[in-house]
Structures are given as C-alpha cells and as structure tokens.
Amino acid sequence: MSLTLILLTPLVGALVLLAMPRRLEGGIKIVANVAAWAGFLVSLPLWWQFDPSSADQFQFVTRSPWIPSIGAEYHTGIDGFSALLVLLTTLMGGIAITASWSAVSLRIKEYYIALLVLQTGVIGAFIALDLLLFFLFFEVMLVPMYFLIGIWGSDRRLYSAIKFFLYTLVGSVVLLLGILALYFHLHAVTGVYSFDVTRYYTLDVPPRLQFWVFLAFFLGFSIKVPMFPFHTWLPDAHTDAPTAGSVILAALLLKAGTYGFFRFSMPMLPDATREAVPWIALLSLIGIVYGALCAMAQQDWKRLVAYSSVSHMGMVVLGLFALTPTGITGSLIQQINHGVSTGALFLLVGVVYERRHTRQIDAYGGIAAVMPLYAAIFLLMTMSSIGLPALNGFVGEVLILQGTFVVSKVWAGVAGLGIILGAAYMLWLYQRTMFGEITHDENRGLKDLGLREVFTFVPLIILAFWIGLYPKPFVDRLAPAVQRLVERVSPEIAAGAAAAVHAVPDAHAAPAVPATTHPAPGVH
Amino acid sequence: MDNLQAIMPMLIVTLAAMATMLAEAFRRKDERMPIGGLGVIGLVGAIAAAGLLWDRNAVGFGVIQADNFSLFVTVVVAVIGLFTIMFSSEVVEREGIPSGEYYTLTLFSVVGMMMMASATDLLVIFIALEIMSIAVYVLTGIKRTDAAGTEASFKYFLLGSFSSAFFLYGIAFSYAVSGSTRLDALSTAIAQSASAPGPMVWLAMGLLLVGFAFKVSAVPFHMWTPDAYEGAPTVVTGFMSTGVKAAAVAAFLRVFLSAFEPLRGDWTQLLTWIAMLTMVVGTVVGVAQTNVKRMLAYSSIAHAGYLLAGIIAASAIGKSAVLFYLASYAVANVGAFGVIAFIATRERNTGELTDFTGLWYAKPMLAVLMAVFLLSLGGFPPMAGFIAKWYIFAAAVNEGFYTLAIVGVLTSVVSVFFYLRIVVMMFMSSNKAELEVPPFGIVGTLGLALAAIATFYLGILPTRLIDLATQSISTIF
Amino acid sequence: MTITPGHWLALSAALFTIGLIGVLVRRNLIIIFMAIELMLNAGNIALVTFSNLHQQVSGQVFALFVIAVAAAEAAVGLGIVLALYRNKETVNIDEITVMRW
C-alpha cells in the first residue's frame, strides 16, 4: 500500500496543478514544492521500515491483477537497492523542483506538471516487479523529459530533445522484443502467461535464447546508462536541458539503465551475463577513459559534467559486471553517489547559469572571491566526484576497484587511470572557474548562494559525508540483494563465501577462499 | 423476429439516415436544424441495440450474422460515426458543406460498414462494400467547388470501382467453386479440395485479396490513399481512415480466416510480404511528407500493415489483437483528424505542417490532445496504441513470425519520428503573430475529450476491451 | 460448334482484360468509366456462366443485383465527373493533377 502512495503522490500533485489557474504563479510554485517534498516525506519510512534481515526477496509487495488475459499484474515491491533508489528519486525530485523556483518563467504550470509526472514515471520504474509494468514506466519517463528539454531547454533544445527521445526509444523497443521472447518462452515451459519478475528468476532459459534476449536487453539498458558507443545522446540532452531536467536525467534516468541490468538482465540471464563480462568490461573501460578525455576537452561546463557522467557510469557498469560481491556493492553505492554528486554538480552549474546565462568555462574565473559559499560547496562536490576519502565517491570507487581487481588486474588498472583522469578534469575545471583573478567584470557583482539555494544543497552535502564516513547502513541494506544476485550469476563465489562463513569460527581450517566479502582493502 | 433482431443496429441507423434526409428535404432555406442530432440519436440507438444483442448470435435472413465479432465492429464503427458527427457539427458551416446530405451520407456509409462486418455471404459483402464506398466517394467530393476535393473524389471513385470489379470477379469464381456465395459453403468446398485446389480457387482467392487489399490500402494498392485523404474535407478523412478500414479489415478477417482457412499456409506467405511492404512504404514515404493530412494518410497505410500482421498471426491472440487495434486506432485517428479540422481557417485549410506552429501557445489544450493522439498512433505508453501494438506483435512472435514482428517494431520507431515532427511544430514558438484558431463549441470539445479519455482508458485499463474482443473471436472461429 | 462454358469464360476474361487495359491506358474520364463498367459486366457474364454450370439460379440473381449496383455507381460517378468538370473544365485525366506525390 505504501509504495503506491509514494508512486501516486507526485501524480496527485500534478493533477492539483492542472486544476489551478495559470495566473497564480506563486501558488503554483508552492503547490509543486509541497507535492515534491511530501513525496519525499512519504517515502522516508522506506529507510526505517525496510528490513535487511528479512528472508523475503522483496518487501512492501503489492500485487493485484491488471490485464489477466495476458498475465500482466500491478506488481510492485522493493529490495534494498530499489529502496535506496526510490529515496534518491524522491529526494532529487524535491531538490529539482525547489531549484527551479526562479529559473523558469515560461509556462511554469506545465513545467512543474512535467517534472511531477516524470517523478511518477521514475518511481514506477524502480518499484515495478512486472515486466510489462516496468516497460510502461520505462517508456513513460521519456515523454515528460522530452518536453522538458524541448520547451524549457536552451540553444539546440529541439534537436537534443528529439535525439534523446528517438535514441532511447529504439533501445526500449528492442528491449520489448526481448521481453516478448522471454514471455513466450515462459509460456512454452510452464504453460502460464505471466510477466511476473520472480517467475523469470527461476526460469531455465536455454543458452541460445539467453544470448539473444541479453543482447536485446543490453541495447535497451546500455543506451540509457549510457555506455560507449551509445552515449552520444547524453551530452546534447544534458547541455540543452533546463537545470532540473539535467539533475533528474543524471541522477535518476541514467540509473534506470543500470537498475535494468541489476534487476532484469543479470538474474534472469546468468549464463549470458557471465559470457558477456569481457565485452561489457571492454566497453565500460573505453567509456571510462574516453568519457574522461572528452570531459577534459570541453569548453562548456555542463557538457564537461555530462561527459564525466559517461565516465562515472562506465565505472558503475564495470563494478556491476565484475560479478563479485564487492564489485556489485560498490557499483550500487556508486550509483547513489553519482546521483548525489553529479546532481549537485548540475545544480551548481544551474546556479551560475541563472546569474550569468552562459555555460562557457572561460566566461568565469576567480568566482571564489565573490561567491565563497558557492565555491566551498563546489569544492566539496568536486572532491566527492573525484573520490576523495571521507566523501561518498571514495567508498564506491574503492569497492568497485577491489571487486574488479580480483577478476582482472588490468581492468582495475585502467579503471584507476579513469579515476586519475577524473581528478584531472574536475580540478582543472575548478581551478579555471573558481581560482585566480576575476577576469570578467560581469563576475564581480555575482551574488552568493541564497537561502533557498543552500537548502537544495544541504541534503546532498549530508549524504556525501554520511555515505563517505559511515556507509554501513547503506551497505547493510544492499547486502541481501547483492547476495541474491551473486548466488545467481557467480554461484562459485557465493559457495566459496558460504564456506568461508562456516570456516571463520575455525581459523585453522580456513581454506584459501577469495576474501571478496570483506570491504577492507588489501587482503589479497 | 430473429431476422429483424439481427439487423436491428443497421435498421436503426438506416431510419436515422432517412430521417435526416427528410429533415433536410423539409428544411426551409435558412432554417437551422440540428440534423446531426438525429444522426447521434440513431448511432447511440445502434450501440444500445448491439449491446442488447451481445452473446445472442442472432442470424438475420440467413446472411447477416449478429455474432459478437460483428457486434464489436458495429460498435466501433458507430463510435467512429459519433465522433465524426460531433466534429462535423463544428466544421460543416465553416467549410460550406451541405449539411443535410452530408449527415445522410455519413449515416448510410455507417450502415454499409456495419453490414460488411456482419455479412456471411459474399453477395451481401459486395453490396455492403458498395453502399459504404459510394457514400464515401460522394463525401470525399462534397465540397463541390474545391478542385482538390473533386479530384480526390474522382480518383478514389475510379480506383474504388476498379477494385470492386476485381472483387466481383473473385466472387464469381468463388461461386464457381462452391455453387453458392455463402462463406460456409465456400469453406466446405475448399476444404474438400484442399489438397489439390484447382485454378478457380486460386483465382478466387487472388481476386478477392486484391479487392480487400485495395480497401484496406495495402501496398501495392495504396496509391489512392494519399490523394483521397488529402483532398477530402478533414472530418471526412477522419471518418474514411478509420471506419472504412475497420469494416474492410473485419470482412477480410471473416472471409479469409473462415472461408479460405484451409489454404492458410499458402496465402500467409504472400500476405506477410504485403504486410511488411505496407509497413515500410507507409512509414518511409510518410517521413517525407510536409502536409499533415498526407502524412497521416501514409501513417494509416502503415497501420494497415500492422493490422495485416495480426491477421497473419491468425491465432486467437492475433484476431482479438486486430479487434483491439481497430478500436484504439479508431479513437486516436479520429481525434487527430478532429484537431486538424478544428485549427483550419478559411484561408489556411489544406493541413500543412506549418499550420501547427506554435499551437501550444495559442490553444494549449488542443496541442496536448493532439500530442496524446499522435503518441497513441506511435504506440507509446500509457496510451491505447501501446497495448494495441504490443498485442499484435506478441501475437506475431507467438506464431513464429519473427521477421514480421521485427519489421513492425522498427517501422513503429521510425513512425514516431513523423508523429513527433507535428508535436515539435506545435511547441515551437512562431515568429508571426499568435496562431489563429477559429472558435469551436462544446460539442467539438466534448468529442475531443471523449476521444482522449478513451485513448488513455484503453491504454491503462485495457482488460475490459480485450475480454470483449476475445469473446468476439470465439463465436466465429 | 457447341458453345461450352469455356467459351463463355473466355469471353468474360476477354472483356475483363479489355476493361482493365482501358482503365490503365485511356485518358478520357468517361472512357475510363466505361471500361470499369465493362469489367463489371465481365463479372456478370462469369456469374451467369457459373450459374448455368451449377444449374442454379442464384448466380443470375446475383448478376441482377450487380447490374443495379453498377447503375447506382454509374450515377454517382457521373455526378462526380460533372463536379470535376465544373472545376477543371476538362475530362482529360492527364490534366487533373492538383495533388502530386
């Protein structure tokens, strides 16, 4: 029941906004913010009420028939990972709407309605446990985003909006074919028509079919992530979207892709997953390095952050497909981290864009002198993005690196290179914009962050430190989900870990097991 | 009594048509009469009659079978007629269309469509086809002073009669094979000679296929569609593109999946090629268009391809998918053409793409509704078109027609491109003065709203309609 | 020479083909229209032939129906041609090109 409440709160907000007269601009903004933050508050119980020690794979499950004749149900539920994602969604949604207070003046009613509908779509995608329901929300996300970019964006917004839409649509459609193939295979094996995700987890899929379905799913999800070479829509979409759009795109929509891998591709098609690891690792590594190098070459601030997203998400996918518990945990944490830090970075760009209406890096310089608070927060988020210890980025990156290292030292090495490059372009960006003399007179009069703007950053700062210093609550919530996935895709690691658990009380008899269950570094 | 019961929906609409004819005859020169209202009453009565006849399997005169399948299509066609009349009432005066004749012809055409879906005898199908088509030929050219309109009307008439002649010749050969024009007799005769069908059977099948393919606008018999759709008054185009297609597909389904069922293995191959070509040609040529009516004409050609895919799949899922697709395609398409009709002014009435520039800033509700209809046509959730396309492709994949499904899915994606183009136009701000949209009243608004609600309803809660469609199939096949 | 059904069918096919070619080749609207009527009548002859073959009357009845329908179609068609003529002052199909691709 409570998941549906979380799902519908933004939608109710959108409907209320629909009924409001256009002239009441102040009222519209207030209602939108109330709806968004109410959505966050309603989702907070997920943090406390989620039980990591429960034996159920999914909690808060709601299940009612939707289209019985084809076996589609309204089936929702969360595990540790989707719980965190839903919380991230409602938080970023609230932040995005509050950040838009003064940023948008054209057709603000429709703007907030689009944001709230988008919110519903994203939440729906993360809680759906029925393949058709998931696909529906996966597609529904595209439409409001398309309008956000196309109407309230900048420069080449129409081109970017269409590119975004069609690119992701092609992927989704191929994904649909994969879903259909699995659907009919299930029917052939069990005689039942169903889209229930849990059925597919236990379904035996022959290797040939796994290969093709994995490929279909891969196309759909990798375009969303985005993985090299399907990333070309991202820089355009990010740069031309309005600030709130970029924040939601980076923080949430990209996660829908990796979530898709975690929830669908990997557990349903384990053999194909294992076979695909070298290829996916290759594409991820290329994405990491290529994204970083492109970021370094950018003149447009937002485009730089966009390419940094490509690089970071490459890291996320690498950790995921390392198929080790540490790697997967790191990947999941890093997804949350990326949402926080990249969301914050886009917010930061939005702040100066609102003031100066330019994203060119060389139009700035020495800003730290006039906007010290801004510079401080920017530095913090830069460090978070780079992966400085004590901040969230470090936890994710270290886990990913360790999880990858046991699979291939070369991969971990190249990924490490990506981290170094990340530090390079971020620090260089910071230096060019914040430090030194103020080179442009327009920058002298810039006002520092207002109270509302600070408010939008506070939750992100808190999260950055929390995850960085004390990640245990997050890791605990993720652990059961990770364990289940590892059992499915890497049974030998899971068996080895189980043996290690049994052997721990008797230290002498401990066989040589991969100590990948411990997040402590430098064991092997 | 059973006889009359079976034809009750058609009878009601015929009476309504005659009433409108008489009302027009007795109308004084400038007297304003709600003639359209008579039509609405008739159509609503027909829907009610169809509802009462559900599950009764009434048979009329041995040739009209009011089984669930024909009742489903009857209701769909009546709904299309309702929407058309609702939209026309706004536009008829503005465009200088003689209203009495217009409504009469529309209603008679609806009768023809209903009959086509319910007939189990080839002769009756032929007559129904002619009733429907002749009325539509005239409707296409009803604006006598419009050069494009009369040209469209004549081209449609020409190619329509041409195909009717083929159809007739096919019926002649069917008669030769079975000694009767009834579909069940034909089915028995073909089944008996299924192992070695003579040349007559092939001729009959081929000629009938040509006739149907034309009416459904399948490639390569689609050439009439763009011209006819572009030249006709926009509300008539909405009517044609949905109603005629629905009736033709229904009759096609009935004839080929009951009478020619034993030869299914043979015509499936050919039809698959036709379907794939239709989808591709409709989509690819549609992308190149700059006139919205023409673009939607090519889009309806592509939709015919998807419908054919459902017929090819021919499983229980496939047939009910076709029915569901007809319903969802009808509401979305009629709605889209309604919007196009509403934004036309006396000067700017050809339906160019640029007519839509900045519609969102002038009339945001219209723009949103248009976007909803277009996205539904593109097969986008949560609109009806998504479920409809999903259902059809699922049926195709289930029966092993993978190539067909893949072509369908890919063309679906490409078609989103040209629907999006219109959407983009609407949201672009125009440099000229704000777009002028003539005012339209409550009836038109109600029509558009109902169409949009139906589109969302069928997309989010399709169960009811899917069940009805499945029930419809089980009664005949 | 006995006239067999084969002969009638050949006649029917010939008329159909002549009509078909007429529709495709001729330029004058009225002539094209006549060609279509020719095709319809070819169908009629076929129907009557088969009616004779099966020794039934239904084929002939059908043919009568078709004649009636064709007449209605002719009336409507000529009305359309008339409307077209009033707009374009021509009955040559090559000159009716308001709408292109």
Side-chain angles (χ1 to χ4, degrees):
Chain A
M1 162 36 217
S2 50
L3 277 183
T4 313
L5 179 66
I6 301 174
L7 177 70
L8 291 179
T9 309
L11 195 61
V12 167
L15 289 172
V16 169
L17 279 180
L18 198 64
M20 291 180 73
R22 193 157 291 155
R23 299 167 281 108
L24 286 178
E25 292 209 348
I28 289 176
K29 289 186 199 177
I30 293 175
V31 170
N33 276 284
V34 163
W37 288 108
F40 175 63
L41 289 173
V42 160
S43 69
L44 268 183
L46 283 181
W47 177 258
W48 288 288
Q49 291 180 3
F50 179 78
D51 184 6
S53 57
S54 159
D56 296 329
Q57 185 171 18
F58 295 109
Q59 300 178 23
F60 298 94
V61 174
T62 313
R63 199 167 175 165
S64 43
W66 175 34
I67 313 179
S69 48
I70 55 176
E73 302 170 288
Y74 178 75
H75 186 193
T76 57
I78 48 159
D79 64 4
F81 185 38
S82 40
L84 290 180
L85 282 175
V86 169
L87 285 167
L88 182 69
T89 308
T90 49
L91 178 65
M92 295 313 287
I95 291 179
I97 287 190
T98 308
S100 312
W101 188 275
S102 46
V104 170
S105 49
L106 168 74
R107 305 265 158 180
I108 55 173
K109 175 171 138 170
E110 285 79 3
Y111 177 80
Y112 285 114
I113 292 179
L115 274 176
L116 288 170
V117 172
L118 180 60
Q119 185 83 331
T120 308
V122 178
I123 296 176
F126 289 143
I127 64 175
L129 292 179
D130 178 287
L131 273 174
L132 193 65
L133 192 66
F134 169 76
F135 185 77
L136 188 126
F137 282 116
F138 199 67
E139 296 274 273
V140 164
M141 284 194 286
L142 295 184
V143 176
M145 195 72 224
Y146 166 77
F147 284 123
L148 279 170
I149 299 179
I151 302 178
W152 292 281
S154 52
D155 301 344
R156 296 189 315 162
R157 56 186 179 270
L158 284 170
Y159 166 77
S160 303
I162 289 214
K163 193 168 170 180
F164 158 77
F165 193 81
L166 286 179
Y167 223 123
T168 24
L169 184 66
V170 170
S172 317
V173 153
V174 178
L175 175 66
L176 181 66
L177 282 177
I179 293 178
L180 277 179
L182 265 188
Y183 175 72
F184 287 115
H185 178 70
L186 178 74
H187 176 75
V189 167
T190 61
V192 173
Y193 280 122
S194 172
F195 286 102
D196 181 11
V197 161
T198 49
R199 271 192 212 263
Y200 290 95
Y201 284 169
T202 50
L203 182 67
D204 234 328
V205 186
R208 287 286 306 153
L209 185 62
Q210 274 200 37
F211 171 71
W212 286 109
V213 176
F214 187 86
L215 204 59
F217 279 20
F218 179 73
L219 202 66
F221 295 135
S222 64
I223 290 183
K224 259 297 208 269
V225 170
M227 286 181 71
F228 181 92
F230 305 116
H231 66 286
T232 50
W233 62 270
L234 185 75
D236 288 317
H238 261 138
T239 37
D240 292 325
T243 306
S246 297
V247 167
I248 300 218
L249 184 59
L252 306 173
L253 260 62
L254 302 189
K255 309 301 173 300
T258 44
Y259 173 79
F261 283 129
F262 177 81
R263 174 72 71 232
F264 305 111
S265 288
M266 292 168 78
M268 290 181 188
L269 313 163
D271 305 306
T273 304
R274 279 193 293 270
E275 275 180 42
V277 166
W279 299 105
I280 296 191
L282 179 67
L283 287 177
S284 307
L285 289 169
I286 297 179
I288 294 174
V289 176
Y290 179 72
L293 290 175
C294 281
M296 206 141 18
Q298 295 305 317
Q299 303 293 343
D300 181 316
W301 195 331
K302 248 179 154 180
R303 225 175 162 80
L304 190 150
V305 180
Y307 275 109
S308 86
S309 264
V310 174
S311 186
H312 283 131
M313 292 309 278
M315 190 80 138
V316 164
V317 177
L318 183 67
L320 197 60
F321 278 88
L323 302 185
T324 54
T326 327
I328 297 178
T329 312
S331 167
L332 300 185
I333 296 228
Q334 191 65 342
Q335 288 183 48
I336 309 290
N337 293 340
H338 178 266
V340 168
S341 57
T342 311
L345 285 173
F346 276 115
L347 279 174
L348 288 162
V349 179
V351 165
V352 287
Y353 185 78
E354 231 186 287
R355 287 156 173 64
R356 284 286 318 280
H357 291 288
T358 172
R359 294 186 308 262
Q360 294 303 111
I361 294 176
D362 47 18
Y364 297 96
I367 305 285
V370 282
M371 298 173 74
L373 187 55
Y374 176 85
I377 297 184
F378 189 12
L379 185 63
L380 194 67
M381 287 308 165
T382 302
M383 294 304 155
S384 161
S385 180
I386 291 174
L388 194 74
L391 289 173
N392 53 351
F394 173 71
V395 174
E397 278 174 1
V398 111
L399 288 175
I400 292 177
L401 281 178
Q402 208 217 337
T404 315
F405 190 81
V406 292
V407 179
S408 162
K409 297 181 182 46
V410 172
W411 295 354
V414 177
L417 176 66
I419 298 181
I420 298 176
L421 288 172
Y425 62 74
M426 285 306 295
L427 288 174
W428 192 33
L429 168 72
Y430 193 82
Q431 193 231 341
R432 280 182 289 169
T433 51
M434 297 289 122
F435 286 154
E437 289 294 313
I438 297 187
T439 44
H440 297 264
D441 287 324
E442 307 86 42
N443 293 337
R444 285 183 206 280
L446 286 180
K447 294 176 64 166
D448 206 349
L449 295 177
L451 193 61
R452 174 187 55 84
E453 287 163 330
V454 171
F455 172 70
T456 57
F457 286 110
V458 161
L460 300 175
I461 298 173
I462 295 176
L463 270 178
F465 277 111
W466 185 3
I467 302 180
L469 292 172
Y470 187 58
K472 185 167 186 310
F474 297 92
V475 174
D476 283 343
R477 280 167 177 72
L478 291 173
V482 173
Q483 179 63 16
R484 281 218 164 76
L485 183 64
V486 171
E487 275 165 17
R488 192 94 174 113
V489 295
S490 307
E492 61 285 353
I493 296 183
V501 167
H502 288 302
V504 154
D506 183 359
H508 297 295
V513 285
T516 49
T517 46
H518 302 293
V523 174
H524 260 225
Chain B
M1 219 28 234
D2 205 33
N3 286 338
L4 271 185
Q5 271 185 359
I7 62 167
M8 195 52 81
M10 293 182 259
L11 202 58
I12 295 177
V13 181
T14 314
L15 288 173
M18 295 204 287
T20 46
M21 212 156 58
L22 289 174
E24 173 65 19
F26 285 108
R27 186 168 73 112
R28 276 183 292 274
K29 189 69 175 22
D30 283 317
E31 191 184 339
R32 296 179 53 78
M33 243 199 226
I35 301 187
L38 287 169
V40 168
I41 297 175
L43 289 170
V44 168
I47 297 178
L52 288 171
L53 281 172
W54 191 261
D55 271 337
R56 293 258 208 103
N57 276 329
V59 176
F61 305 100
V63 290
I64 298 282
Q65 185 150 1
D67 53 24
N68 288 356
F69 178 77
S70 56
L71 290 174
F72 189 96
V73 180
T74 300
V75 171
V76 169
V77 166
V79 167
I80 293 173
L82 265 175
F83 278 127
T84 306
I85 293 185
M86 284 173 105
F87 296 147
S88 315
S89 62
E90 301 289 339
V91 170
V92 146
E93 276 177 52
R94 203 197 297 168
E95 305 226 351
I97 294 175
S99 61
E101 287 83 357
Y102 174 80
Y103 290 121
T104 312
L105 286 166
T106 309
L107 290 168
F108 276 132
S109 187
V110 168
V111 173
M113 293 173 192
M114 290 179 178
M115 208 153 94
M116 233 177 128
S118 326
T120 51
D121 183 305
L122 282 171
L123 169 60
V124 181
I125 293 182
F126 179 72
I127 292 181
L129 180 75
E130 291 298 317
I131 295 177
M132 171 182 84
S133 307
I134 294 181
V136 174
Y137 301 152
V138 180
L139 280 173
T140 311
I142 200 147
K143 276 164 66 173
R144 283 194 315 263
T145 49
D146 180 21
T150 43
E151 178 184 333
S153 174
F154 187 73
K155 281 185 181 163
Y156 190 10
F157 169 77
L158 203 60
L159 293 170
S161 322
F162 190 54
S163 80
S164 295
F166 274 93
F167 194 71
L168 179 66
Y169 215 41
I171 296 180
F173 282 115
S174 315
Y175 178 63
V177 166
S178 61
S180 158
T181 47
R182 296 176 58 84
L183 284 179
D184 40 26
L186 185 60
S187 170
T188 326
I190 292 181
Q192 279 171 357
S193 67
S195 45
M200 297 283 197
V201 177
W202 294 123
L203 273 173
M205 197 172 85
L207 290 166
L208 284 174
L209 187 62
V210 168
F212 275 125
F214 175 89
K215 267 289 171 272
V216 164
S217 44
V219 165
F221 307 106
H222 66 287
M223 309 296 290
W224 60 273
T225 314
D227 287 337
Y229 284 21
E230 191 190 345
T234 316
V235 276
V236 173
T237 313
F239 181 64
M240 274 201 292
S241 62
T242 49
V244 171
K245 211 179 286 292
V249 166
F252 194 165
L253 200 71
R254 207 189 269 273
V255 171
F256 270 77
L257 288 180
S258 63
F260 291 101
E261 172 72 34
L263 294 175
R264 193 147 70 81
D266 300 298
W267 54 257
T268 302
Q269 179 69 312
L270 178 65
L271 205 55
T272 311
W273 275 108
I274 293 181
M276 285 200 283
L277 273 174
T278 309
M279 291 187 229
V280 171
V281 165
T283 316
V284 168
V285 183
V287 168
Q289 300 304 317
T290 54
N291 179 302
V292 173
K293 284 164 76 172
R294 237 177 149 73
M295 200 188 289
L296 285 179
Y298 279 106
S299 116
S300 79
I301 293 177
H303 284 288
Y306 303 130
L307 284 164
L308 285 177
I311 296 181
I312 291 168
S315 53
I317 302 182
K319 294 174 220 165
S320 52
V322 168
L323 284 179
F324 186 85
Y325 199 95
L326 281 176
S328 72
Y329 166 72
V331 284
N333 216 25
V334 130
F337 276 109
V339 173
I340 302 178
F342 284 172
I343 69 168
T345 60
R346 201 155 288 230
E347 303 81 37
R348 179 180 51 71
N349 65 352
T350 48
E352 293 299 318
L353 190 58
T354 45
D355 290 351
F356 280 88
T357 318
L359 181 63
W360 194 57
Y361 298 100
K363 284 251 187 248
M365 238 13 234
L366 263 187
V368 168
L369 285 174
M370 187 67 173
V372 166
F373 295 136
L374 290 173
L375 286 175
S376 178
L377 286 174
F380 220 72
M383 266 70 75
F386 168 65
I387 302 277
K389 283 218 170 118
W390 182 90
Y391 218 8
I392 295 249
F393 294 143
V397 167
N398 201 19
E399 295 295 315
F401 293 101
Y402 298 119
T403 329
L404 193 59
I406 293 179
V407 169
V409 161
L410 290 176
T411 50
S412 224
V413 174
V414 176
S415 74
V416 170
F417 178 65
F418 62 73
Y419 295 124
L420 267 190
R421 254 215 312 220
I422 306 178
V423 176
V424 167
M425 271 292 163
M426 292 195 289
F427 292 96
M428 244 167 69
S429 47
S430 111
N431 302 326
K432 311 176 307 218
E434 205 177 78
L435 190 68
E436 247 186 68
V437 174
F440 53 91
I442 185 98
V443 181
T445 322
L446 190 63
L448 284 178
L450 282 175
I453 292 174
T455 310
F456 273 114
Y457 172 70
L458 290 179
I460 301 179
L461 295 171
T463 320
R464 188 95 185 92
L465 198 72
I466 292 184
D467 285 339
L468 288 175
T470 323
Q471 281 174 32
S472 313
I473 296 296
S474 54
T475 52
I476 38 168
F477 301 113
Chain C
M1 165 174 104
T2 15
I3 305 286
T4 64
H7 288 93
W8 290 112
L9 278 183
L11 173 66
S12 167
L15 281 179
F16 193 80
T17 318
I18 293 173
L20 184 70
I21 297 178
V23 170
L24 295 175
V25 165
R26 299 298 297 246
R27 298 286 115 213
N28 188 309
L29 289 185
I30 310 285
I31 306 279
I32 295 177
F33 199 14
M34 264 166 43
I36 294 182
E37 290 293 315
L38 203 55
M39 287 167 76
L40 286 170
N41 281 318
N44 275 343
I45 295 182
L47 277 169
V48 175
T49 311
F50 294 129
S51 170
N52 190 27
L53 198 65
H54 288 295
Q55 288 295 308
Q56 286 177 353
V57 91
S58 45
Q60 299 169 39
V61 172
F62 196 166
L64 282 174
F65 270 102
V66 172
I67 292 176
V69 169
E73 206 159 14
V76 168
L78 286 171
I80 296 178
V81 170
L82 208 61
L84 190 59
Y85 183 74
R86 288 227 186 92
N87 281 325
K88 300 282 298 203
E89 299 274 323
T90 175
V91 280
N92 189 320
I93 201 165
D94 286 330
E95 292 171 28
I96 304 176
T97 52
V98 171
M99 292 183 292
R100 287 240 134 257
W101 257 115

